[in-house]
Amino acid sequence: MSPATTDGDARRDALIAAMPAVFVGIWSTGFVVARFGMPHAGPMDFLAWRYALSIACFLVWIRWAGAVWPQGRAQWGHLAVVGVLIHAGYLGGVWTAVKAGMGAGTSALIVGLQPVLTALWVSWTGQERRVTPRQWLGLALGLAGLVLVVWRKLGVGEITAFNLGAAVLALVAITAGTLYQKRHVAPCDVRTANCVQLTAALAVTLPLALLETAPFDLHPQLLGAMAWSVLALTLGGSSLLYLLIQRGAATRVSSLMYLVPPCTALLGWLLFDETLGALVLIGLALTAVGVALVVRERT
């Protein structure tokens, strides 16, 4: 084996190892984007533009790189289902819940139940290796840490049947989308796969956007939020999520979602001068330990 090959393998392994941390860092900016963009557009309107612009960027990237499209009608159908669940269902549910008055902490706690829901499904169906006692402990610690992180924001905002339903829809959608992709989607180019997913999400979201009455105000904050949503969250974060699900067990990938609210709290402290109290810091530590227990390889 030549030194060049060894160096190339080492760089590839380092990039693969860094994927979870990079994904969490990018995905954690989602609530920051919502804070900047939501006052200036309806949730479905914003997401429809996000999907359309992301598709345009992916098409340019695919054409430039000569990326291969998924093979077979069945794979296109599977990718479309994942796109409707993870993009339209999850993002649409969260944005609708928050726009309808649910506090960010409450919505984060509801969708933060995804790792537990995923582990229960995996354990019940036996589709993957069963969740070990160590991983169950990690899931419990992660959930406890999540509660501590969002505790001071719980109850902020009004909970109604509508926004609660939207948040639960988001939880079910991201859980089902993760499990469905892991079971049905064959490995393919992440750029073309995302393009198919986003097209399906746009087909579902656009009719809902046309029903919204909120104005689409081209405010600088909205434009900045849109640019970050397309370039970082979709082209970067969604692509990494696809690769992580493709490479890892569903429970391990889902557990990374526990880290999103703590990282969002850190961003709130850095960008908006929000207070990081003792409960948040303890919750951050608990969550990190919990995720480490879930994702650590079996010995």
Side-chain angles (χ1 to χ4, degrees), residues 9 55 71 81 97 118 121 130-131 161 175 179 181 189 249 257 259-260 273 284 297:
D9 291 342
I55 291 168
Q71 299 298 306
V81 171
T118 301
W121 179 264
R130 288 197 173 273
V131 182
T175 305
L179 293 167
Q181 179 182 327
D189 189 278
M257 294 298 184
L259 295 172
V260 172
D273 200 27
L284 222 162
E297 295 289 347

Side-chain angles (χ1 to χ4, degrees), residues 227-274:
W228 183 261
S229 291
V230 171
L231 298 176
L233 283 167
T234 304
L235 271 71
S238 295
S239 297
L240 284 170
L241 178 60
Y242 175 87
L243 291 172
L244 287 167
I245 295 172
Q246 182 175 286
R247 290 174 176 272
T251 302
R252 294 173 61 198
V253 173
S254 296
S255 69
L256 295 174
M257 294 298 184
Y258 274 154
L259 295 172
V260 172
C263 289
T264 302
L266 288 174
L267 288 173
W269 173 64
L270 289 170
L271 298 176
F272 307 115
D273 200 27
E274 294 182 357

Side-chain angles (χ1 to χ4, degrees), residues 138-173:
L139 289 167
L141 288 175
L143 182 59
L146 172 64
V147 172
L148 291 178
V149 168
V150 303
W151 183 260
R152 62 189 178 85
K153 293 186 178 181
L154 290 178
V156 177
E158 181 183 359
I159 298 180
T160 64
F162 177 74
N163 60 29
L164 180 61
V168 172
L169 170 65
L171 167 63
V172 173

Side-chain angles (χ1 to χ4, degrees), residues 74-148:
Q75 279 305 301
W76 282 67
H78 291 321
L79 286 167
V81 171
V82 174
V84 170
L85 290 170
I86 291 182
H87 292 286
Y90 169 67
L91 292 176
V94 171
W95 277 62
T96 299
V98 176
K99 186 73 173 181
M102 178 176 284
T106 306
S107 61
L109 183 59
I110 291 172
V111 297
L113 295 173
Q114 184 211 349
V116 177
L117 203 59
T118 301
L120 288 172
W121 179 264
V122 168
S123 184
W124 179 53
T125 60
Q127 291 180 4
E128 298 178 0
R129 292 185 301 179
R130 288 197 173 273
V131 182
T132 65
R134 188 199 72 230
Q135 289 178 313
W136 280 116
L137 174 61
L139 289 167
L141 288 175
L143 182 59
L146 172 64
V147 172
L148 291 178

Side-chain angles (χ1 to χ4, degrees), residues 12-25:
R12 184 194 62 192
D13 292 343
L15 288 173
I16 292 173
M19 279 170 53
V22 175
F23 165 73
V24 170

Side-chain angles (χ1 to χ4, degrees), residues 31-46:
F31 279 102
V32 176
V33 165
R35 182 163 178 172
F36 280 119
M38 196 171 291
H40 309 290
M44 295 298 110
D45 208 4
F46 184 95

Side-chain angles (χ1 to χ4, degrees), residues 33 37 41 45-51 53 216 221-231:
V33 165
D45 208 4
F46 184 95
L47 290 174
W49 276 105
R50 170 177 167 175
Y51 300 150
L53 293 171
F216 194 84
Q221 287 187 352
L222 176 69
L223 297 177
M226 183 66 71
W228 183 261
S229 291
V230 171
L231 298 176

